[in-house]
Amino acid sequence: MVLRFALNVYLSKALSHSTLLLPSVICWYRPKMAAYTLKRCLGAVKVIHKCGNHRFIARRCLLSTPYTDTKLWDAREKDHQNLALLASLMDRTYDRNFPVSSLSISRFIDNISSREEVDQAEYYLYKFRHSPNCWYLRDWTVHSWVRQCLRYGARDKALHTLKNKVQYGMFPDDFTFNILIDSFIKDEDFKGACSVVEEVMLQESFDLPTTQILSLYALSNYLATKPELSMSEERALGASLLISGLKQDGSIGLSAQLLGCALLGKVEMGAGIHAVFRGMPLMWTPGYLGRALAVMERVAAAPGDGKLSKDAVDYLEGLLQDLSSASDSSSGEDDESGGDEGKKEEEVDEDDQAERDKLPLYASRFKDLSGQLQSRGKVDPSPLQVLVSSLVQQSLASAEGPDMEQYQRKVGEWEAERQQLIRREKEMRERAEEERRAHQAAKAAAKQG
């Protein structure tokens, strides 16, 4: 015990100075235990050393602790409920084909206290969405649902209900989107973060600078992993990059627009313009590769210091080369097939075919614009991921203040509305009780008469 105490004291002092030497005292201790203890302590020192690393900062210091803190939300007046009784009441109400109030589903979600109760709440959210009162799911209920999912390790449920928003009525506000995106980013689950960003894009909710920065950070980091993307994923990522990029000035916004248009252009060339804009807040006019080149032309002609990231330009170059090669191969196969050529042409929309015929023009135009950008120093060697990481360090903290002030006001408004609903519910119950008593008194008087 004395030797163990001495070892612990020494290791504690060594760790406090972020250094660790191999002391002779370890030799006094059992070899296996000493090696195990040393390994764990060295691991701790390694973690402490990484605090100065950019990767560590990017992982842990996106949204600040006050931004994601739950104290303001938890400070609301409690409305304690027995969830078993509340669930039974809602079940009986549904069985009698009566509508469940938005206050009931709000109470259920606010009183969740375990992971299992999150699953129960998902069921009642679905039931409420398919009830006559479906339009009255409150904004604070959606916010509370996401908070509870994060609190009890059910982030997958929050994402599931968000992706199936029509079935659950999940249409979060910007602040709720932010804390959900941030939770994925902090765990380096960039694919999950991009799934949330896709919903932001579909709701066109890129109004807050914080949402723009978080979204671009998630998108750039996910693309930096070189994922194998399906056509639907390319479409979603392209639209998210384009729309969020339109909200940003400078090199980051322009590079995001270029990359977004390139991804959408790839989908357009492969499946036609209808596959691009259907169900998306996008233009239905063909020519997304042309729009990507228009971004390059705008940057090349602009007098300012706006640049395009090299990886975005390189991606468009590689895409045009791949499409041109595929087009040449397809033309060769059509020549060999002979009689089948007319049949294949009939299957392709005229506008889509006209766009594909522009590929040689696009490739030639890209070479000219790329040369202009290079000669004028308009290509930034830093990848988009690095540019966005720099934006996070420079601008995210200052952008949080207005969000937090707005959130504080919103919580106050939500709470006032909730208290008003509680008072209205109480009045309605009292009125119903009075009517019931009056009816019983009239019935008793009729019997006596």
Side-chain angles (χ1 to χ4, degrees):
M1 291 296 293
V2 174
L3 292 177
R4 184 180 302 174
F5 176 76
L7 177 63
N8 289 337
V9 169
Y10 180 87
L11 293 177
S12 300
K13 291 183 178 179
L15 284 175
S16 66
H17 293 86
S18 297
T19 58
L20 186 63
L21 303 175
L22 184 63
S24 58
V25 69
I26 290 180
C27 299
W28 305 346
Y29 207 56
R30 286 181 295 178
K32 289 185 179 181
M33 182 60 71
Y36 173 74
T37 306
L38 179 61
K39 181 180 178 181
R40 292 194 62 180
C41 292
L42 285 171
V45 173
K46 183 179 179 182
V47 171
I48 293 172
H49 175 70
K50 283 178 67 179
C51 288
N53 185 277
H54 174 77
R55 176 179 173 83
F56 183 88
I57 293 174
R59 184 182 180 190
R60 294 299 179 191
C61 301
L62 287 174
L63 291 180
S64 65
T65 300
Y67 195 104
T68 58
D69 192 61
T70 62
K71 287 181 180 178
L72 177 62
W73 184 248
D74 294 339
R76 299 174 306 146
E77 184 178 340
K78 305 300 181 184
D79 188 2
H80 297 289
Q81 299 285 327
N82 184 311
L83 289 192
L85 295 178
L86 186 56
S88 178
L89 175 61
M90 289 194 290
D91 288 338
R92 291 198 308 270
T93 304
Y94 282 128
D95 290 342
R96 297 168 65 186
N97 293 322
F98 289 153
V100 168
S101 71
S102 62
L103 201 54
S104 296
I105 191 69
S106 175
R107 284 168 173 157
F108 195 97
I109 291 174
D110 283 343
N111 282 273
I112 290 173
S113 60
S114 68
R115 177 64 175 79
E116 292 73 18
E117 290 172 354
V118 171
D119 296 333
Q120 297 173 26
E122 180 195 357
Y123 167 76
Y124 286 109
L125 278 170
Y126 179 88
K127 290 281 288 183
F128 186 84
R129 180 62 176 173
H130 293 79
S131 72
N133 276 354
C134 61
W135 300 107
Y136 299 103
L137 185 66
R138 307 293 171 172
D139 291 343
W140 72 75
T141 304
V142 176
H143 181 75
S144 182
W145 165 249
V146 173
R147 288 269 194 198
Q148 297 288 50
C149 287
L150 295 179
R151 176 173 294 175
Y152 294 106
R155 189 173 59 195
D156 58 321
K157 287 292 182 183
L159 184 57
H160 171 72
T161 54
L162 183 60
K163 301 296 287 184
N164 296 276
K165 53 188 173 293
V166 175
Q167 301 298 324
Y168 293 94
M170 288 292 117
F171 298 92
D173 64 296
D174 297 340
F175 193 93
T176 308
F177 269 131
N178 284 354
I179 61 175
L180 185 56
I181 295 172
D182 184 68
S183 70
F184 280 103
I185 289 176
K186 284 183 177 177
D187 290 339
E188 297 186 351
D189 183 359
F190 298 117
K191 184 176 182 179
C194 288
S195 294
V196 182
V197 174
E198 180 184 350
E199 297 304 317
V200 177
M201 177 269 297
L202 291 172
Q203 288 188 209
E204 300 182 73
S205 296
F206 288 113
D207 296 326
L208 297 182
T210 46
T211 309
Q212 300 164 22
I213 295 171
L214 289 171
S215 298
L216 287 168
Y217 185 88
L219 292 166
S220 61
N221 275 272
Y222 180 53
L223 290 174
T225 64
K226 308 293 184 183
E228 292 291 333
L229 300 174
S230 64
M231 185 173 290
S232 62
E233 290 172 332
E234 288 173 339
R235 184 177 79 137
L237 290 172
S240 300
L241 281 165
L242 173 58
I243 297 175
S244 60
L246 288 170
K247 299 286 187 178
Q248 282 285 317
D249 298 324
S251 300
I252 293 174
L254 292 166
S255 300
Q257 292 174 47
L258 174 63
L259 194 53
C261 286
L263 286 166
L264 293 172
K266 182 180 179 182
V267 175
E268 181 183 359
M269 287 294 176
I273 188 61
H274 289 275
V276 175
F277 71 79
R278 185 178 292 114
M280 289 281 186
L282 295 170
M283 293 178 61
W284 55 85
T285 309
Y288 276 92
L289 285 180
R291 294 185 185 100
L293 294 172
V295 173
M296 294 180 65
E297 185 174 9
R298 192 163 69 248
V299 173
D305 56 354
K307 298 180 180 181
L308 292 172
S309 64
K310 188 176 185 300
D311 58 343
V313 176
D314 289 346
Y315 177 82
L316 180 56
E317 181 181 19
L319 174 60
L320 289 171
Q321 290 175 353
D322 293 343
L323 291 174
S324 298
S325 300
S327 178
D328 294 340
S329 301
S330 177
S331 298
E333 292 175 1
D334 289 344
D335 291 339
E336 294 177 2
S337 62
D340 295 335
E341 182 179 355
K343 185 177 180 181
K344 288 184 178 180
E345 286 182 356
E346 292 177 0
E347 296 174 356
V348 180
D349 185 270
E350 291 183 3
D351 292 336
D352 294 334
Q353 186 58 46
E355 185 63 23
R356 292 170 187 172
D357 292 340
K358 294 179 182 178
L359 265 176
L361 177 62
Y362 286 156
S364 175
R365 189 178 167 199
F366 173 84
K367 290 181 181 178
D368 293 340
L369 291 171
S370 179
Q372 293 178 32
L373 290 170
Q374 292 286 355
S375 63
R376 298 172 186 176
K378 295 281 189 174
V379 178
D380 194 322
S382 300
L384 181 60
Q385 179 189 19
V386 172
L387 294 177
V388 176
S389 296
S390 177
L391 178 66
V392 168
Q393 300 300 320
Q394 294 172 7
S395 304
L396 185 58
S398 60
E400 287 184 359
D403 288 8
M404 294 168 67
E405 292 176 3
Q406 182 182 3
Y407 176 64
Q408 189 170 4
R409 289 194 300 270
K410 188 176 290 184
V411 170
E413 293 169 359
W414 286 346
E415 185 62 13
E417 187 177 355
R418 187 173 73 97
Q419 293 300 327
Q420 183 181 8
L421 288 176
I422 292 173
R423 289 192 297 271
R424 188 184 304 169
E425 179 188 60
K426 183 179 179 181
E427 292 171 0
M428 291 178 66
R429 285 181 176 175
E430 291 174 351
R431 190 179 308 130
E433 181 65 18
E434 290 174 0
E435 292 176 356
R436 186 184 68 82
R437 290 177 180 176
H439 178 72
Q440 289 180 343
K443 190 175 181 180
K447 284 183 179 180
Q448 291 178 358

